[in-house]
Amino acid sequence: MDVQQTPGPIDGLFFAQFHPKFGPQIQYKYPPDCISCDLFDKLTNFIIPKPDVLRQVVTITSLGVKVKGYPNKIEDSKYERNALLFNLCLVFKPEARTAPYRPLIHKLSDYLHSLETENGFLSDEESRKQLPLMMEQLYHDLNDTGRCVLKLKLRHPLHIAKELEQKALIEATAAEMGERRLSFSERRRWDSGPQGRGRVGVVGGVRPGGGGCGIGSVGSGGPASGETCGGRGCAMDRDTHQPEEIAVLYLKVVDACEAPVPVGEEQVPVLVKPDISEDQHLLDLTTQQILPYIDGVDHVAKIACLANVELDLAKKCVQNLVYYEIVQLLPIFQYSNVYVHNTEEMMQLYWSSVLQQKCLEYVVGDAAGEPLLFDQVFRLYAKFTRGRTVRQICYCELQLGVSFPPPPPSGVTAHTKPKLPPNVDIRRLVKFGLMHGIIRRIQQYPLYTPHFNKKHKRDRRSESQTSSSQSLRRFCDGTASYDLLCSKFCMTNKELHNRLAQDKEISILWK
């Protein structure tokens, strides 16, 4: 587990590219001291790596820094070595937690890849000048707010098409004039000469001096004055003096969330946000169907049956509600359950007046009856220990089943006042304790351990005596609790216990 609980922060960014003559180089970096040239040279094999490592997130932790990047490659014959290799990297401290930056660095690298293939962003010197400003904005925005909106100016596609066609025109002219390239001065004289002087029409291209596509032969000058190519929708017939395009990219550091907890069919969902019913129209249809049956008493299997929903689908819906902290999962309440109190949470309850008030308001049995004192509630929680069921606590502490004498008639003073039990709802007392970690459930897990004699053969007599529990043995592996088996076989806790007690090869584990 990483030392830091929050992502980052970013110490710097740098853009590295493979130069066709000098090899890997840092083109831009921010801040200027985020990484030294010597350190870059030592890590260069991982920043601009071999083809096997390309197009995947690479994290380097060495020499006092942590570098995270996504090396990318664009193959095209227009590049000097038929490929462009680049990598935009983030620099962190070695102990920084960088997992949330994985999708961001992946998205950013693919974004630059698309800009280059569609618009030549990295190849064009004017466009590349925006990279330092972009890196500075990324550094400050991601560290301050964890999100960033990048806006980059791109050349208009018609301008790019015009440049490509002019390049093709120059190459064709050079080939006609003796297979040589024109110098810059010759090119200017060629373009600024008289109309039609030495003009070359390019099949499928554009006549530089006219407004249509030149389909004439060499020296023809394209269509005559006043004529058009007649091509409907010709790109170069449109207005090329349009504003530059703006490319927008939204980035956000999304911290990785924990995987949703698995939901068992024997667990009881309890609503912790009752106001969710007001926004019920925002939920999916299946969740809307099972939500009215979540009452904090019925378990998931019974809720699925009442709502007429498949069990697996109901479990997924409850799992989604648990993930967004709308419900909380508790074990089934039974008077035969055993709970134990947690010392640390008991101390927190003892010292927190806010938690005490919440507890008293939640667990009181009759609001119009005897006032409930915190000492009574705290003493009840302390009685939850191993080997003591809820039924025993009720009989001993709440004095259930004990009749109290009626109050004396008016005018007669009683010599002794009977001690009344606390005005508490035991079910809500257990529920509040489980929800706040004050108590926890001790479950029973049956474990099937077959007995062998000296010749490693089963005792047939024992097997015949336990025939009634043969169907349960395949579930008795020490991982299925009593609650789960009761739900699967539709039995009460007492029926299951009596049935398992008949099998001498099944032991009961408490944990």
Side-chain angles (χ1 to χ4, degrees):
M1 183 177 180
D2 293 306
V3 176
Q4 296 191 4
Q5 298 299 320
T6 56
I10 301 174
D11 289 346
L13 303 91
F14 66 89
F15 179 80
Q17 184 176 334
F18 185 86
H19 193 275
K21 294 182 180 178
F22 305 106
Q25 288 184 339
I26 297 179
Q27 302 291 331
Y28 307 102
K29 58 181 178 178
Y30 186 87
D33 58 346
C34 66
I35 187 171
S36 63
C37 294
D38 294 338
L39 181 58
F40 174 79
D41 292 339
K42 296 177 181 179
L43 304 178
T44 183
N45 291 332
F46 304 98
I47 297 174
I48 305 293
K50 300 296 182 182
D52 296 340
V53 193
L54 291 174
R55 298 195 62 79
Q56 53 185 317
V57 178
V58 178
T59 304
I60 313 155
T61 305
S62 180
L63 304 176
V65 297
K66 178 182 285 189
V67 179
K68 183 178 288 288
Y70 188 89
N72 222 324
K73 180 181 181 180
I74 304 175
E75 297 182 354
D76 199 306
S77 58
K78 67 179 181 180
Y79 303 114
E80 189 167 344
R81 290 198 177 186
N82 296 327
L84 174 66
L85 285 83
F86 65 93
N87 194 356
L88 179 61
C89 300
L90 306 181
V91 183
F92 303 89
K93 290 182 173 58
E95 67 276 7
R97 189 164 66 91
T98 61
Y101 289 92
R102 288 179 60 90
L104 183 142
I105 197 67
H106 186 183
K107 181 178 180 180
L108 191 57
S109 181
D110 284 346
Y111 179 66
L112 294 177
H113 184 283
S114 300
L115 291 181
E116 170 62 22
T117 55
E118 297 175 5
N119 207 275
F121 180 80
L122 299 177
S123 302
D124 184 65
E125 294 296 331
E126 292 297 325
S127 300
R128 285 169 61 95
K129 294 180 181 179
Q130 302 178 69
L131 279 176
L133 300 177
M134 180 190 77
M135 294 163 60
E136 182 179 356
Q137 182 184 356
L138 283 170
Y139 175 79
H140 292 289
D141 290 355
L142 293 180
N143 281 337
D144 294 342
T145 63
R147 60 185 66 193
C148 181
V149 180
L150 294 177
K151 296 182 179 180
L152 302 176
K153 295 181 180 180
L154 305 178
R155 294 183 302 167
H156 197 278
L158 298 182
H159 295 168
I160 301 175
K162 186 175 181 179
E163 291 180 1
L164 294 176
E165 289 167 353
Q166 286 180 349
K167 181 179 179 181
L169 174 65
I170 292 172
E171 292 178 353
T173 305
E176 179 197 6
M177 299 181 64
E179 299 295 331
R180 66 180 181 86
R181 293 184 178 273
L182 299 178
S183 64
F184 179 73
S185 58
E186 289 176 330
R187 193 182 311 166
R188 289 189 59 185
R189 291 198 305 270
W190 190 265
D191 292 339
S192 61
Q195 180 69 19
R197 189 186 78 174
R199 295 292 179 180
V200 180
V202 182
V203 176
V206 177
R207 184 172 58 89
C213 296
I215 314 181
S217 58
V218 175
S220 65
S225 177
E227 296 181 359
T228 61
C229 66
R232 186 176 180 180
C234 179
M236 299 311 296
D237 281 339
R238 307 188 197 121
D239 181 19
T240 60
H241 301 285
Q242 298 181 11
E244 294 176 327
E245 291 188 342
I246 302 296
V248 182
L249 177 66
Y250 296 89
L251 298 171
K252 183 179 180 180
V253 181
V254 181
D255 201 355
C257 301
E258 296 182 358
V261 296
V263 177
E265 63 179 76
E266 78 284 1
Q267 293 179 301
V268 178
V270 179
L271 279 175
V272 294
K273 293 182 179 179
D275 55 347
I276 190 63
S277 57
E278 300 176 359
D279 301 328
Q280 191 170 350
H281 63 282
L282 302 177
L283 303 175
D284 60 272
L285 297 178
T286 308
T287 304
Q288 295 182 27
Q289 192 171 348
I290 69 171
L291 195 60
Y293 298 97
I294 298 179
D295 54 1
V297 177
D298 297 331
H299 55 286
V300 176
K302 187 175 180 180
I303 291 174
C305 182
L306 295 174
N308 195 20
V309 176
E310 291 186 5
L311 179 58
D312 291 339
L313 194 57
K315 290 167 63 176
K316 291 181 180 179
C317 291
V318 173
Q319 185 182 45
N320 188 55
L321 294 175
V322 173
Y323 182 79
Y324 290 103
E325 299 180 350
I326 299 175
V327 303
Q328 188 174 350
L329 295 176
L330 300 180
I332 300 174
F333 175 81
Q334 298 181 92
Y335 285 96
S336 59
N337 291 352
V338 177
Y339 301 91
V340 293
H341 62 267
N342 297 321
T343 306
E344 294 183 1
E345 282 71 15
M346 288 281 288
M347 293 299 296
Q348 184 180 0
L349 176 64
Y350 183 81
W351 293 108
S352 175
S353 59
V354 177
L355 188 59
Q356 292 176 14
Q357 187 63 29
K358 289 175 60 178
C359 179
L360 293 176
E361 294 176 356
Y362 191 85
V363 306
V364 64
D366 184 6
E370 291 289 330
L372 181 63
L373 302 178
F374 172 71
D375 293 344
Q376 297 173 323
V377 175
F378 191 82
R379 191 176 292 110
L380 281 175
Y381 277 133
K383 297 296 182 181
F384 287 100
T385 56
R386 289 181 180 271
R388 201 171 191 186
T389 64
V390 178
R391 182 180 293 106
Q392 293 172 343
I393 295 176
C394 290
Y395 278 108
C396 296
E397 304 300 329
L398 301 183
Q399 302 178 22
L400 297 181
V402 178
S403 60
F404 296 93
S410 59
V412 179
T413 304
H415 296 286
T416 59
K417 184 179 180 180
K419 183 181 179 181
L420 298 177
N423 182 20
V424 65
D425 185 339
I426 189 63
R427 181 187 291 270
R428 295 178 67 85
L429 179 74
V430 172
K431 186 187 297 184
F432 185 88
L434 291 172
M435 293 174 63
H436 292 82
I438 301 172
I439 58 175
R440 60 185 178 88
R441 170 82 181 278
I442 302 296
Q443 296 269 18
Q444 292 175 275
Y445 295 88
L447 177 63
Y448 172 60
T449 53
H451 297 162
F452 292 91
N453 55 16
K454 295 181 180 180
K455 297 181 180 180
H456 303 284
K457 294 181 180 180
R458 292 188 178 183
D459 188 354
R460 295 183 178 180
R461 179 181 177 184
S462 175
E463 186 174 358
S464 61
Q465 292 176 352
T466 59
S467 58
S468 59
S469 59
Q470 287 296 320
S471 57
L472 287 173
R473 284 185 172 180
R474 57 192 183 99
F475 292 99
C476 298
D477 55 356
T479 60
S481 64
Y482 261 40
D483 291 348
L484 178 59
L485 295 179
C486 288
S487 176
K488 284 185 176 295
F489 292 94
C490 299
M491 293 187 297
T492 63
N493 188 284
K494 185 177 181 180
E495 292 173 349
L496 176 66
H497 183 75
N498 294 335
R499 190 169 174 181
L500 293 177
Q502 298 175 6
D503 194 339
K504 303 303 181 182
E505 296 183 341
I506 294 181
S507 305
I508 306 300
L509 306 178
W510 291 80
K511 58 180 179 178

Short mmCIF file of all heavy atoms in Angstrom, two decimals, residues 1 70 90 212 225 235 369:
data_model
loop_
_atom_site.label_atom_id
_atom_site.label_comp_id
_atom_site.label_asym_id
_atom_site.label_seq_id
_atom_site.Cartn_x
_atom_site.Cartn_y
_atom_site.Cartn_z
N MET A 1 0.85 -1.19 0.00
CA MET A 1 0.00 0.00 0.00
C MET A 1 0.87 1.23 0.00
O MET A 1 1.89 1.31 0.69
CB MET A 1 -0.91 0.00 1.23
CG MET A 1 -1.87 1.16 1.27
SD MET A 1 -2.98 1.03 2.71
CE MET A 1 -3.95 2.50 2.45
N TYR A 70 3.54 7.31 -21.20
CA TYR A 70 2.89 6.40 -22.16
C TYR A 70 3.60 6.58 -23.50
O TYR A 70 3.20 7.41 -24.31
CB TYR A 70 1.40 6.73 -22.28
CG TYR A 70 0.60 5.74 -23.08
CD1 TYR A 70 0.02 4.64 -22.47
CD2 TYR A 70 0.42 5.89 -24.45
CE1 TYR A 70 -0.73 3.72 -23.20
CE2 TYR A 70 -0.32 4.98 -25.19
CZ TYR A 70 -0.90 3.91 -24.56
OH TYR A 70 -1.63 3.01 -25.29
N LEU A 90 5.00 12.44 -16.64
CA LEU A 90 4.78 13.13 -15.39
C LEU A 90 5.85 12.69 -14.40
O LEU A 90 6.22 11.52 -14.35
CB LEU A 90 3.39 12.82 -14.83
CG LEU A 90 2.19 13.07 -15.75
CD1 LEU A 90 0.90 12.74 -15.01
CD2 LEU A 90 2.16 14.51 -16.23
N GLY A 212 -10.55 26.77 -59.63
CA GLY A 212 -11.08 25.42 -59.80
C GLY A 212 -9.96 24.42 -59.88
O GLY A 212 -8.80 24.72 -59.66
N SER A 225 -10.27 31.94 -68.60
CA SER A 225 -10.81 32.97 -67.73
C SER A 225 -12.33 32.90 -67.72
O SER A 225 -12.96 32.82 -68.77
CB SER A 225 -10.34 34.35 -68.21
OG SER A 225 -10.91 35.34 -67.40
N ALA A 235 -13.16 21.42 -52.47
CA ALA A 235 -12.71 21.99 -51.21
C ALA A 235 -12.06 23.34 -51.41
O ALA A 235 -12.26 24.27 -50.64
CB ALA A 235 -11.74 21.03 -50.51
N GLY A 369 -43.10 6.42 27.26
CA GLY A 369 -42.89 5.66 28.48
C GLY A 369 -41.81 6.25 29.35
O GLY A 369 -41.51 7.45 29.32
#
